[in-house]
Amino acid sequence: MTIHLLSEQNSVLNKFLIELRDKSIQQDSMRFRRNLERIGEVTAYELSKTLRYAPRTVETPLGEAVVQQIDERLVVATILRAGLPFHRGFLNYFDDAQNAFVSAYRKNHKDGSFTVKVEYISCGELEGKTLLLVDPMLATGQSLVLAYEAMCQRCGHPEQLHVAAVIASEQGVDYARRHLPQETTLWVAAVDEELTSRSYIVPGLGDAGDLAYGEKI
């Protein structure tokens, strides 16, 4: 797995990341969603530099111009619901990409452990395409891997896999590295060291879904 840690290079991304983490600023849910979206846009831009391109001739009012255009069939996929604003950031840039959505949830057990269940998948054919699987928080990595496996089982295996997250734990990165294809590329804004017993990233930012859309029952 190739890992791109975007916060290693100082850019405007760090401003959006600070505001996502700041417990006073993040209470503004509209701004929280927008910051997830903006980090998605920055990540999409950086990712676009690594894609395959081919020349395209376009006719202008005064002649013809040759421009290099993305030569891959992209699919942007996310896990509901926290992934929606992040997904939108990617779609703002890859506006002609196919879209896919996975509904997954944690089923908690009495001993404090949990299992991840995938309930619903909306996805077209993946064979021969480039899959961008985007999810703001890469905590344990279980939801991400299960979502990928479920999509492959139903929709076929993509030619290339890119995974994008805003914040990941070291444990989640290691789990993804061990369970996703070797050629996978991971794009992440920040990697935090600690993961609590309830699988929350520390310092992290809290529950991204609740901060974006309100507390769930």
Side-chain angles (χ1 to χ4, degrees), residues 122-194:
S122 174
C123 181
E125 178 64 48
L126 292 178
E127 292 287 346
K129 298 179 181 178
T130 298
L131 177 62
L132 281 53
L133 182 51
V134 307
D135 192 25
M137 309 300 287
L138 179 56
T140 66
Q142 293 182 41
S143 298
L144 185 83
V145 170
L146 282 175
Y148 173 73
E149 292 175 343
M151 283 191 290
C152 288
Q153 184 177 7
R154 175 172 294 188
C155 307
H157 289 76
E159 180 179 326
Q160 178 64 42
L161 173 63
H162 292 270
V163 171
V166 176
I167 299 176
S169 71
E170 291 183 351
Q171 180 179 329
V173 172
D174 183 62
Y175 188 88
R177 182 187 289 114
R178 289 185 285 111
H179 291 86
L180 292 175
Q182 185 177 357
E183 304 80 13
T184 299
T185 302
L186 172 63
W187 303 80
V188 60
V191 177
D192 293 348
E193 295 181 2
E194 188 177 347

Side-chain angles (χ1 to χ4, degrees), residues 85-106:
F86 195 42
H87 178 275
R88 180 174 178 177
F90 281 83
L91 198 59
N92 287 345
Y93 280 21
F94 302 129
D95 57 334
D96 55 354
Q98 177 185 329
N99 292 266
F101 301 93
V102 179
S103 174
Y105 71 98
R106 291 181 180 181

Side-chain angles (χ1 to χ4, degrees), residues 8 33 38 42 45 101 118 160 167 170 185 197 202 213:
E8 283 187 332
R33 293 192 300 271
R38 292 196 287 189
V42 173
Y45 173 74
F101 301 93
V118 174
Q160 178 64 42
I167 299 176
E170 291 183 351
T185 302
S197 59
V202 179
Y213 297 110

